[in-house]
């Protein structure tokens, strides 16, 4: 059974993709909404939260852990693999790095939260092309407010994406679960000649299980947990999962 | 000795005002940065965080509690007074309500986080004038990014403040510690005929102690604690306190 965690509700978009491919699998999702957003928190705290999230999911019966959050993938994936040896732990960055290497580009852009970008994870793992990194700390708030199509958002996007255009990036990694929701707006600002790379899709495509493997049919449950109920939880779950969900609360 | 808490570093502006007036007092400040921002969290979580913050400050020797955070003032002040009977607990909203009643206006605006506005605290406590409430969830992020003077911020401010202008508010309560940092920009958008009301200043002016009363000279210490070190902690403390501070970490 899959155990997926994210700092908030953004990772629900990964659940949507997983459900499409693994129709017989069970899912437990944990949104660590009490600590949302991870993007401005310290590495130590993010590792601590990621540890507690993983332990919770395993206690609930998960056998495969999916880190849907880019900030946690950048700062805590290796730490979790060391702490939970023997448990298959997948993050959104590792398969994306493989895909970028396969694409064999000269210059690639990365946008993400401040913590993801400051981790320098892509610079550390990719030596074969130039990387243009841009933290976009305002985008998550704008997207959660539903301000995806407002002129202010376009103006902020233009500001953030200007260095990528100037340096002629050939591709752009959307290194935050939220950014796929403003994919069209990013394309509008950048132009279609820049290939957008969505790590959630790459991660799900990269998984090599099939429906019968590893995932017992007896465990086909679907559960959503959060560490706090944000005020706009129902609306946000609709945005990211396409439907309102019933979530339970766990304090940790 | 004063014990001041806020969801983050914004409450440091209250410390600045307190220090100016109570030059002989000791201060312990706690920024609950692990749970920042409170503005989108649930009432239950905010009460739980406020309880832990207060307990920590009392354990560290505080004798007077100041809730610098508006969201916690709106949702947890009464709860804290019930839980910590006999401890003087001051919040930023109670004296502001008194000041508004004294001003005797017909229409007053309130801007704040989503949680502060949804609490309806001003509507509950003020019956003598019409209240025009406007949640401004994007402002905290913009201010913390230092985007105070950018055209996008003016454009977002215009959008938020339009209903207040249209309904001809005579005054505006800045019900978030961050908003005093964009006071000038708000005045530019609103025009100077609307009186801006800053609860931090009203709170500090309303305290009736003097330097010798209640605050033992033996306790004249100054301590800053945070529940996480945000990535931009040093820059943010500079913005709100006017200098970089050395803070200690407490996990709770």
């Amino acid at each position: 059974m899959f155990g997926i965690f994210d700092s908030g509700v953004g990772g629900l978009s990964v659940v949507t993709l997983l459900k499409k491919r693994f129709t017989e699998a069970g899912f437990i999702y944990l949104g660590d909404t009490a600590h949302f957003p991870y993007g401005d928190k310290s590495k130590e705290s993010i590792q601590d939260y990621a540890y507690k999230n993983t332990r919770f999911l395993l206690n609930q019966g998960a056998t495969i852990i999916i880190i849907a959050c880019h900030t946690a993938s950048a700062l805590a994936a290796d730490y979790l693999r060391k702490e939970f040896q023997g448990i298959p732990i997948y993050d959104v960055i590792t398969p994306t790095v493989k895909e970028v290497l396969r694409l064999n580009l000269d210059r690639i852009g990365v946008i993400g939260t401040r913590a993801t970008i400051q981790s320098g994870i892509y610079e550390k793992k990719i030596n074969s092309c130039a990387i243009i990194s841009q933290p976009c700390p305002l985008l998550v708030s704008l997207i959660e407010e539903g301000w995806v199509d407002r002129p202010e958002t376009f103006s902020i996007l233009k500001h953030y994406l200007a260095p990528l255009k100037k340096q002629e990036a050939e591709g752009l990694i959307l290194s935050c679960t939220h950014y796929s929701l403003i994919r069209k707006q990013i394309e509008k600002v950048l132009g279609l000649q820049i290939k957008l790379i969505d790590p959630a899709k790459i991660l799900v495509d990269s998984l090599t299980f099939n429906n019968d493997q590893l995932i017992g049919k007896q465990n086909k449950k679907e559960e959503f947990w959060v560490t706090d109920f944000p005020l706009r939880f129902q609306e946000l779950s609709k945005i990211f999962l396409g439907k309102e969900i019933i979530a339970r609360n766990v304090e940790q």
Side-chain angles (χ1 to χ4, degrees), chain A residues 27-238:
Chain A
F27 298 88
I28 312 169
Y29 182 87
L30 175 62
D32 189 13
T33 41
H35 298 112
F36 178 84
Y38 280 3
D40 293 309
K41 305 280 190 308
S42 69
K43 180 180 173 179
E44 292 69 28
S45 289
I46 291 161
Q47 289 186 344
D48 179 46
Y49 305 151
Y51 179 88
K52 286 176 183 157
N53 297 342
T54 305
R55 198 184 49 191
F56 173 81
L57 292 168
L58 293 173
N59 287 343
Q60 294 295 313
T63 52
I64 300 163
I65 300 295
I66 306 274
I67 312 173
C69 171
H70 290 250
T71 305
S73 290
L75 294 162
D78 288 343
Y79 172 76
L80 290 181
R81 288 189 191 105
K82 220 177 66 192
E83 293 292 320
F84 297 96
Q85 286 181 20
I87 305 288
I89 296 177
Y90 296 89
D91 69 276
V92 276
I93 292 178
T94 306
T96 305
V97 166
K98 269 192 203 150
E99 173 65 9
V100 169
L101 295 174
R102 195 190 64 78
L103 287 171
N104 200 20
L105 306 172
D106 283 329
R107 279 175 311 285
I108 192 147
V110 183
I111 56 174
T113 65
R114 203 185 289 286
T116 300
I117 297 302
Q118 285 197 3
S119 75
I121 186 91
Y122 290 101
E123 287 85 347
K124 280 176 202 158
K125 300 205 169 184
I126 300 171
N127 294 313
S128 59
C129 74
I131 293 168
I132 308 147
S133 290
Q134 176 67 43
C136 302
L138 293 170
L139 292 190
V140 166
S141 314
L142 288 163
I143 293 164
E144 294 225 336
E145 282 310 302
W147 279 45
V148 294
D149 251 334
R150 286 192 59 87
E152 293 86 354
T153 305
F154 274 100
S155 176
I156 290 169
L157 267 179
K158 271 180 200 158
H159 174 85
Y160 283 148
L161 299 175
L164 300 161
K165 276 187 100 162
K166 204 180 156 193
Q167 291 175 67
E168 296 177 347
E170 297 155 291
L172 176 64
I173 304 172
L174 307 179
S175 204
C176 174
T177 48
H178 284 63
Y179 296 171
S180 57
L181 294 181
I182 47 165
R183 195 189 165 103
K184 270 188 212 158
Q185 287 75 12
I186 291 171
E187 276 174 350
K188 222 171 189 173
V189 171
L190 280 183
L192 289 170
Q193 69 278 19
I194 297 183
K195 185 185 167 59
L196 298 193
I197 295 165
D198 184 354
K201 205 182 160 308
I202 292 170
L203 166 67
V204 175
D205 288 346
S206 77
L207 297 173
T208 49
F209 328 119
N210 61 45
N211 277 331
D212 302 320
Q213 226 181 335
L214 277 168
I215 305 147
K217 285 191 185 184
Q218 69 281 13
N219 273 331
K220 207 199 158 189
K221 61 176 178 179
E222 196 177 298
E223 271 180 19
F224 299 96
W225 293 80
V226 286
T227 54
D228 181 31
F229 279 103
L231 287 173
R232 294 182 66 239
F233 183 75
Q234 297 307 337
E235 293 132 87
L236 289 173
S237 68
K238 233 178 182 171

